[in-house]
């Protein structure tokens, strides 16, 4: 995702219209605020579970130094958690949008295939597909914006294959890029566009079905993985609340070092688990 973030959010189309660059996901203000608050509060709370309660007196009672250290721990760990979680959240939203665009493109091909089979030309097929897509999704759907741009392009004497190639390059989806390339060659050479659209739709549908089957097979494993990630925090809370003498040992230098090593292993296990789970995506 590091290279993706260097991409511009919008790319100018052949009509000089800023069109969404699907290779990069830029959060809006609401998404940024929700992500920050969630990561900051969750990270700060977990930080207190593992590192809170420092500088207590001989009886284990909290002191002013304990309160100050708890605040510092909450803020510092919360900010670190936001720094770590922010790119993870961007990837989640980016992958979600990519899935939505793939599904919408499949619906676009279905609508185009039906229109072409009924004898319409490409221009009329696009207009007809645009109406169907607005009813199926919404006016703000990604594919609706792309089809609108294609229609505007045709009305301004821009070749349909040029508009599709632009969409394919911005989409970051291999099937869309391949379709736009094959379509451009076949359209210029007078090939069987109807068959190309039908075949591409079939391939994408099969890929989506396979992806859904893999996701279903991994769903139970992902649930177990999420539960296992919470267990260390729950165990730490139990250890701190069940025995005050045991909880006090976490405030020693050796205790802090041991906790830090354990957290490092915990974070490493999380990223390794995520990488394994990504095999199915």
């Amino acid at each position: 995702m590091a290279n993706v973030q260097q991409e511009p959010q919008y790319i100018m189309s052949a009509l000089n219209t800023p069109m969404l660059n699907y290779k990069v996901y830029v959060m809006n203000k609401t998404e940024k605020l929700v992500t920050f608050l969630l990561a900051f509060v969750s990270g700060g709370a977990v930080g207190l579970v593992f590192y809170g309660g420092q500088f207590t007196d001989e009886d284990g009672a909290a002191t002013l130094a304990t309160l100050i250290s708890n605040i510092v721990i909450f803020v510092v760990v919360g900010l670190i958690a936001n720094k770590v979680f922010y790119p993870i959240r961007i990837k989640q939203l980016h992958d979600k949008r990519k899935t939505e665009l793939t599904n919408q493109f499949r619906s676009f091909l279905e609508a185009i295939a039906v229109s072409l089979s009924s004898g319409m030309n490409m221009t009329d097929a696009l207009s007809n597909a645009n109406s169907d897509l607005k009813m199926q999704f919404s006016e703000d759907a990604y594919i609706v914006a792309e089809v609108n741009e294609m229609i505007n392009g045709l009305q301004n004497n821009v070749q349909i294959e040029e508009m599709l190639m632009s969409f394919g390059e911005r989409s970051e989806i291999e099937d869309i890029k391949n379709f736009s390339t094959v379509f451009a060659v076949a359209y210029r050479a007078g090939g069987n566009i109807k068959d190309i659209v039908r075949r591409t739709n079939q391939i994408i549908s099969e890929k989506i079905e396979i992806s859904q089957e893999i996701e279903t097979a991994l769903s139970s494993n992902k649930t177990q993985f999420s539960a296992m990630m919470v267990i260390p925090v729950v165990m730490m809370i139990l250890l701190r609340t069940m025995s005050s003498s045991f909880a006090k040992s976490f405030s020693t230098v050796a205790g802090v070092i041991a906790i830090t090593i354990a957290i490092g292993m915990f974070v490493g296990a999380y990223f390794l688990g995520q990488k394994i789970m990504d095999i199915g995506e």
Side-chain angles (χ1 to χ4, degrees), residues 2 55 71 98 117 128 142 155 206 249:
F55 309 113
I71 294 175
K98 190 174 180 179
S117 298
N128 192 60
Y142 304 121
Q155 292 173 348
E206 290 174 354
S249 64

Side-chain angles (χ1 to χ4, degrees), residues 97-209:
R97 185 178 66 183
K98 190 174 180 179
T99 300
E100 289 178 358
L101 182 60
T102 301
N103 289 325
Q104 291 177 10
F105 184 70
R106 177 178 63 169
S107 298
F108 164 71
L109 291 179
E110 289 176 352
I112 289 292
V114 171
S115 297
L116 291 176
S117 298
S118 65
M120 292 184 184
N121 58 35
M122 195 62 194
T123 303
D124 292 336
L126 280 174
S127 298
N128 192 60
N130 194 35
S131 300
D132 293 341
L133 292 170
K134 286 179 181 178
M135 290 188 293
Q136 184 175 353
F137 300 107
S138 68
E139 294 278 351
D140 300 326
Y142 304 121
I143 194 64
V144 171
E146 296 297 337
V147 175
N148 281 333
E149 185 68 8
M150 294 176 198
I151 294 173
N152 290 335
L154 289 174
Q155 292 173 348
N156 287 274
N157 298 320
V158 179
Q159 300 297 320
I160 178 62
E161 58 267 34
E162 184 178 347
M163 305 299 294
L164 273 171
M165 289 288 287
S166 172
F167 175 37
E169 286 299 318
R170 288 183 287 104
S171 70
E172 199 192 18
I173 298 174
E174 200 65 29
D175 289 324
I176 299 180
K177 288 196 287 187
N178 291 340
F179 170 77
S180 63
T181 302
V182 174
F183 180 91
V185 174
Y187 195 75
R188 290 167 185 166
N192 192 339
I193 299 299
K194 181 170 59 177
D195 187 61
I196 292 173
V197 172
R198 181 191 59 79
R199 180 57 182 162
T200 304
N201 179 51
Q202 181 181 354
I203 292 173
I204 293 178
S205 298
E206 290 174 354
K207 285 186 176 181
I208 290 175
E209 289 175 3

Side-chain angles (χ1 to χ4, degrees), residues 74-86:
F74 187 93
V75 172
V76 171
V77 178
L79 291 175
I80 293 174
N82 177 67
K83 189 73 173 179
V84 173
F85 182 68
Y86 189 81

